[in-house]
Amino acid sequence: MSNFSIEPSFLAQALAGKTCISLPYCLPNGTHVQVMDEGVIRFEPKDPGDRQLDVVLSCGIHGNETAPVELLDQLISQILDGQLRVRARVLFVFGNVEAMRQGVRCVAQDMNRLFCRLPDVEDGDEARRAAMLEMQLMRFFSRSIQDGKPRLHYDLHTAIHGSLIEKFAIYPLPPHGRDFDPLQVARLACAGVDAVLLQSTTSTTFSFFSSQHCGAAAFTVELGRAMPFGQNTHVDLSKMQAYLEGLISGELPDCDEVPAHLGLYKVSREIIKQSDAFVLRVDAKMDNFTPLPVGTVLAEDGDIQHVVNEDEARMIFPNPYIEIGQRAGLVIVPAKGYSR
Ligand SMILES: O=C(O)CCC(=O)N[C@@H](CCC(=O)O)C(=O)O
Ligand SMILES: [Zn+2]
């Protein structure tokens, strides 16, 4: 017997403040369900023998990035009404529910700068929510470790600006060996992702946390541009939807080769805003992946000048409107010498 109605949807209930930890229950098809916290719901297959992997699907870490929220809400509804059979353990996470209600990236602090927190992180609702989500992931993946199941985390976002490559992923490289798994990249390509950015530096993002601390293959995935709820018709997420349905239902598509068209990049450096004097010298609304010739002045920060000295450089996430100490953009270059 279900004690959780599917109308209104899980998203509608979360936005209305009506999701909180519940007792576990079963759907008529035997799938186990438990609401773990506000905006966090876990599904487990009826037959443990069916289970191939454990996956966390998160979105709304930035509250105004709604296309992935609508996508995951649809998948949750498909599971709850029995259309989508569950053959994986799946944890769905709506990250910053209060920011989603307000239609803003964050209320007080950017939540994707609060994971793997340092002792000096300022307290606040978003820092506490990030800490709670870390605990949820640790708990979810501890079972996967015990049972020897592959661990995956896709943290779905949309970008503030346009992008020459609409769908791309940031791949924090696994802590040991710092090499990437071509199968994971091939699967992302199947899901409609056209570029992958290999990140070998530490970070404070949700995907970095699950890569570093839960041993998951984890990705931040950018799916088009941030728009309000109900205005996401510009982005075609059908391949991503089909891929995630396959992950959940244990019918993974046959895609194990990284296609030649997929762009593979690495982070050359982060531009960190160091003072109030920081000025971006390129257009802050520039599309992500815009090529930057050697010699281009990217930004000035008091006496510091950030100039492109890398061949084939591009910039992503240019943003001068951030706190001191945070990243105002990433300079990326093609990742050469990797076998695909
Ligand atoms: O478009 C932008 O400037 C930001 C879009 C966004 O939220 N991106 C993530 C990327 C996280 C990562 O580097 O893995 C972020 O800035 O948190
Ligand atoms: Zn985001």
Side-chain angles (χ1 to χ4, degrees):
M1 264 293 283
S2 158
N3 63 359
F4 188 87
S5 73
I6 54 164
E7 279 298 330
S9 73
F10 187 68
L11 171 61
Q13 298 202 37
L15 294 177
K18 290 187 178 153
T19 55
C20 61
I21 185 155
S22 72
L23 291 176
Y25 65 95
C26 280
L27 299 178
N29 64 16
T31 298
H32 298 262
V33 188
Q34 187 170 13
V35 177
M36 308 302 293
D37 203 311
E38 177 170 68
V40 181
I41 187 166
R42 187 185 68 195
F43 297 98
E44 296 182 330
K46 175 185 175 201
D47 178 358
D50 270 358
R51 170 173 156 224
Q52 303 189 357
L53 49 85
D54 292 356
V55 59
V56 174
L57 300 175
S58 58
C59 62
I61 290 292
H62 295 129
N64 61 343
E65 300 178 359
T66 63
V69 180
E70 291 174 354
L71 172 64
L72 295 193
D73 189 45
Q74 195 176 330
L75 293 174
I76 294 169
S77 296
Q78 286 170 242
I79 296 172
L80 288 171
D81 70 13
Q83 277 177 55
L84 184 59
R85 194 65 188 232
V86 170
R87 291 197 187 82
R89 282 176 75 238
V90 192
L91 187 75
F92 287 93
V93 175
F94 294 154
N96 194 340
V97 178
E98 184 51 37
M100 281 161 51
R101 287 186 191 113
Q102 296 184 27
V104 293
R105 182 172 171 87
C106 59
V107 178
Q109 287 172 286
D110 186 330
M111 196 184 281
N112 222 16
R113 305 293 175 270
L114 297 173
F115 292 94
C116 315
R117 66 204 169 282
L118 300 167
D120 61 352
V121 161
E122 212 179 300
D123 192 11
D125 289 346
E126 282 149 328
R128 285 167 187 232
R129 176 77 174 166
M132 197 282 297
L133 294 182
E134 289 183 350
M135 285 190 274
Q136 291 287 354
L137 263 65
M138 292 283 235
R139 184 172 167 198
F140 179 78
F141 282 131
S142 67
R143 260 277 302 282
S144 333
I145 295 167
Q146 260 172 30
D147 300 350
K149 297 292 176 191
R151 282 152 273 161
L152 274 174
H153 176 195
Y154 295 105
D155 183 35
L156 309 182
H157 288 246
T158 57
I160 296 171
H161 305 303
S163 182
L164 298 184
I165 301 176
E166 188 188 48
K167 301 183 193 86
F168 60 100
I170 296 133
Y171 182 177
L173 294 181
H176 306 295
R178 300 235 162 256
D179 215 350
F180 78 98
D181 179 352
L183 177 63
Q184 296 300 342
V185 175
R187 287 179 173 175
L188 282 167
C190 254
V193 165
D194 288 322
V196 172
L197 178 57
L198 305 173
Q199 180 199 2
S200 55
T201 51
T202 59
S203 176
T204 54
T205 62
F206 200 13
S207 62
F208 184 81
F209 169 79
S210 42
S211 168
Q212 196 76 7
H213 296 284
C214 306
F219 308 88
T220 306
V221 187
E222 300 286 346
L223 299 170
R225 198 168 174 169
M227 297 296 282
F229 282 121
Q231 295 181 33
N232 289 306
T233 47
H234 63 288
V235 59
D236 177 4
L237 298 184
S238 53
K239 284 187 183 167
M240 180 57 73
Q241 178 166 354
Y243 171 67
L244 296 180
E245 286 171 357
L247 266 190
I248 294 167
S249 63
E251 286 152 23
L252 273 171
D254 195 14
C255 46
D256 44 17
E257 282 203 8
V258 179
H261 79 264
L262 183 127
L264 206 51
Y265 294 88
K266 64 178 184 181
V267 178
S268 171
R269 60 195 153 114
E270 289 187 326
I271 308 286
I272 305 291
K273 178 173 177 172
Q274 293 186 5
S275 73
D276 281 329
F278 183 91
V279 187
L280 203 60
R281 291 290 179 212
V282 289
D283 183 357
K285 294 201 170 107
M286 179 175 85
D287 282 343
N288 289 324
F289 293 94
T290 300
L292 297 165
V294 171
T296 306
V297 179
L298 297 171
E300 282 164 338
D301 202 351
D303 292 342
I304 306 165
Q305 201 178 43
H306 298 278
V307 183
V308 175
N309 54 25
E310 301 91 338
D311 287 330
E312 300 178 64
R314 292 161 190 258
M315 194 177 196
I316 60 167
F317 305 142
N319 185 1
Y321 312 108
I322 40 137
E323 305 274 306
I324 291 173
Q326 293 201 353
R327 129 184 138 191
L330 284 179
V331 180
I332 62 170
V333 293
K336 295 180 177 157
Y338 284 100
S339 54
R340 292 181 177 225

